[in-house]
Amino acid sequence: MRVREEVAGPSTPSAGGAEGGPLRGEQREQLRSGGEKAGARQLVFGGRALVPLDLGEALAPVAALWAGIGRASTRTWLAGRVRGEVGRLRGLVDPQLAQQVLAERLERRLRDQAPRSVGDLVAWLLKRGLAQRPGCWSTLCDEGIRLDTRGACESCQVLVGDRRGLRRAVADQVLEERLSGQLALPQQELGREVERRLQEAVREEMARKAAARERAVAEQAGREASYEIKRQVFAQAQWERAAAPCADCGVPEASGLCLPCTERRGIEAAVRDAVVFALVLRFDPDDAPGTRALWQDCERATRAVLEERLVQLREQGVNEASLSWSGRRLMEELRDRRQQAALVRLGQQEEAEQAARMAAAALRRKQLQPGSAASRDAVRAAEEAARGRVAQRWLGELIAELRTLVSLGPAPAQGTDWACALPELAAQRLPGDDRAEQAVGSTRERVSA
């Protein structure tokens, strides 16, 4: 059964202690007007505004003033500004010390200005508390104090020393002019003359710095304009390269070479290199015609392998673009295998083994624990590296000799008058100097041994 509001129950005592009490509307009026009830309402519906938990260390000096910010939206906005300053300080000092640095700044500026005179904490933080005020050019300076060490700023001390030196120089000049008779001033006017000349010198220095800044701004503007011109020229050249047709097949807008032609060129280069690595240990340096014939035979055999693989791929339904890609990969793999085989053969020669032994001995002398597994692995790596260096050097010399023989031109035709041709051929000088020729000859003798 419901109880009407007009009937006072035992569980609803009146304000004066009698039975019955005010209705809800009357109770709200009493809570607004009564001092004791008003205090109870403030305790229930709102507490003291505290600083954000993540900014407790940074805002500790102004924690007592933070409660004076009436609106929650203002506190939220201001906390965002404080977080932004803390984030900026994390980029200048140790991130763990950023809040401590900001707290020291606020405490220092509150100490310079009595806390009671801070009427509006929001305005004070924005205009005075949060702003960093460097006394010099350093980004770590804040009112002559370094943010990272919290010590005196050396750059500011240098500026102070410069100002003191300037004052001393001006005072010495005035005194010298007075003693020499060039300046006729009484003793009491010397200080004013020093201050006047010092102000003039400072103004001249400020004018020079302003002119230097203007020149720097003009130079920067000139550099930016030059960079913009270069960017435009580069963009135009890039567009022209993209619009250029293929040099081989003439396809428009192929950046000078289309993808199929690029793959075909890659195949040709891989075939030539594969032939070189196949013949580098087989050719006879004294038989140029035989070397050229061997080159042609090896090239035909290599192209036959390529064509056989391409025929298999065509039978499987692979398109032409994929055929070119697969052919290039096949030739590159064949080239790499032949190169590795040549390096292995060259690395087995006595000079390569001797270089490996010397590298291993030199490394063992430097090791503190020669018997450990890591030391043995390092020695083996040093041996392989030394052996590989010798093999690479020999391989380069032999390749240069092979290419020279192949590029001498076609073999003489049958029926040539050798009595006339041989003296002319003997008088021709091969490319390279004598030292290179001797090195190649000695390499051939060592490899053939």
Side-chain angles (χ1 to χ4, degrees):
M1 183 175 71
R2 297 183 179 178
V3 181
R4 298 174 60 187
E5 290 183 346
E6 293 83 5
V7 181
S11 62
T12 57
S14 63
E19 294 182 358
L23 299 178
R24 292 193 183 97
E26 298 173 353
Q27 190 175 7
R28 285 199 297 269
E29 294 296 332
Q30 291 181 7
L31 287 174
R32 292 193 191 96
S33 60
E36 184 178 355
K37 295 296 183 180
R41 179 176 179 270
Q42 291 178 0
L43 182 61
V44 173
F45 294 103
R48 182 177 181 181
L50 302 177
V51 297
L53 294 178
D54 59 331
L55 298 176
E57 184 179 1
L59 295 177
V62 294
L65 302 174
W66 188 266
I69 304 176
R71 295 189 177 186
S73 60
T74 304
R75 292 194 298 269
T76 303
W77 175 78
L78 187 59
R81 297 293 297 270
V82 176
R83 290 189 185 94
E85 179 63 18
V86 172
R88 191 185 69 86
L89 291 175
R90 286 196 182 101
L92 298 176
V93 299
D94 188 354
Q96 298 179 357
L97 300 178
Q99 292 204 31
Q100 181 180 352
V101 170
L102 182 56
E104 292 176 358
R105 178 192 298 173
L106 297 179
E107 184 178 359
R108 183 174 63 252
R109 294 179 182 176
L110 280 175
R111 187 170 56 248
D112 297 339
Q113 177 182 356
R116 294 182 180 179
S117 62
V118 180
D120 187 357
L121 180 62
V122 178
W124 185 85
L125 284 176
L126 295 179
K127 295 182 179 180
R128 181 171 176 82
L130 295 179
Q132 179 181 347
R133 293 197 293 270
C136 61
W137 55 267
S138 177
T139 57
L140 295 175
C141 178
D142 187 15
E143 295 179 328
I145 300 175
R146 286 185 63 89
L147 297 177
D148 51 353
T149 61
R150 269 93 76 189
C153 180
E154 296 84 356
S155 302
C156 291
Q157 293 179 356
V158 171
L159 292 179
V160 171
D162 293 342
R163 297 188 186 103
R164 290 175 179 173
L166 179 61
R167 176 180 290 274
R168 189 180 302 110
V170 171
D172 293 343
Q173 182 181 4
V174 171
L175 181 59
E176 182 180 357
E177 292 180 0
R178 183 172 182 271
L179 293 177
S180 61
Q182 299 178 4
L183 184 63
L185 285 177
Q187 183 67 29
Q188 58 272 15
E189 296 292 334
L190 290 179
R192 295 180 181 177
E193 180 64 19
V194 170
E195 291 297 330
R196 186 187 66 79
R197 294 193 180 187
L198 182 61
Q199 292 178 5
E200 183 178 356
V202 170
R203 284 193 296 268
E204 292 178 356
E205 180 66 21
M206 293 177 63
R208 285 194 297 270
K209 290 183 178 180
R213 286 193 296 269
E214 291 179 357
R215 287 194 301 270
V217 170
E219 292 174 359
Q220 181 66 23
R223 286 192 294 268
E224 291 294 336
S226 176
Y227 296 157
E228 182 62 28
I229 294 175
K230 291 180 180 179
R231 282 191 289 267
Q232 293 177 0
V233 171
F234 177 77
Q236 180 66 21
Q238 191 174 14
W239 179 84
E240 292 177 356
R241 284 195 301 270
C246 179
D248 292 349
C249 63
V251 174
E253 297 183 357
S255 298
L257 195 64
C258 64
L259 181 59
C261 295
T262 301
E263 295 295 337
R264 282 194 292 270
R265 286 192 179 187
I267 291 175
E268 294 298 325
V271 167
R272 286 194 300 270
D273 293 340
V275 174
V276 167
F277 292 128
L279 301 181
V280 70
L281 299 180
R282 298 170 51 190
F283 74 98
D284 186 1
D286 298 329
D287 186 10
T291 301
R292 285 192 290 271
L294 189 63
W295 178 287
Q296 294 174 0
D297 294 340
C298 185
E299 185 175 357
R300 281 195 298 267
T302 304
R303 292 186 183 277
V305 173
L306 172 63
E307 187 62 30
E308 180 181 0
R309 178 57 180 169
L310 294 180
V311 168
Q312 295 176 0
L313 293 176
R314 287 191 184 96
E315 292 177 354
Q316 297 175 4
V318 179
N319 56 20
E320 291 298 325
S322 300
L323 280 177
S324 300
W325 185 87
S326 300
R328 181 175 180 178
R329 299 291 87 76
L330 176 64
M331 288 295 99
E332 289 178 351
E333 292 175 0
L334 180 61
R335 176 201 62 192
D336 296 340
R337 288 198 302 269
R338 290 179 177 178
Q339 181 183 10
Q340 185 63 29
L343 289 174
V344 170
R345 288 282 304 278
L346 292 174
Q348 295 173 354
Q349 305 301 317
E350 179 60 28
E351 184 175 346
E353 294 293 340
Q354 183 180 1
R357 290 192 295 268
M358 293 176 60
L363 183 59
R364 288 193 187 98
R365 288 193 296 267
K366 298 179 181 179
Q367 291 177 345
L368 299 178
Q369 297 178 351
S372 62
S375 299
R376 290 194 296 270
D377 294 341
V379 169
R380 283 194 292 269
E383 290 177 350
E384 292 298 328
R387 189 179 292 110
R389 287 193 296 270
V390 175
Q392 287 284 358
R393 177 169 57 84
W394 281 357
L395 184 62
E397 295 175 358
L398 293 174
I399 288 176
E401 184 180 7
L402 174 61
R403 291 185 182 278
T404 300
L405 288 176
V406 174
S407 62
L408 287 179
Q414 296 294 333
T416 303
D417 187 3
W418 293 106
C420 298
L422 287 178
E424 296 178 358
L425 293 175
Q428 295 179 2
R429 180 171 177 79
L430 297 178
D433 55 3
D434 296 336
R435 185 178 302 175
E437 294 175 358
Q438 294 175 1
V440 171
S442 60
T443 301
R444 167 56 58 183
E445 293 177 357
R446 290 194 299 268
V447 173
S448 302

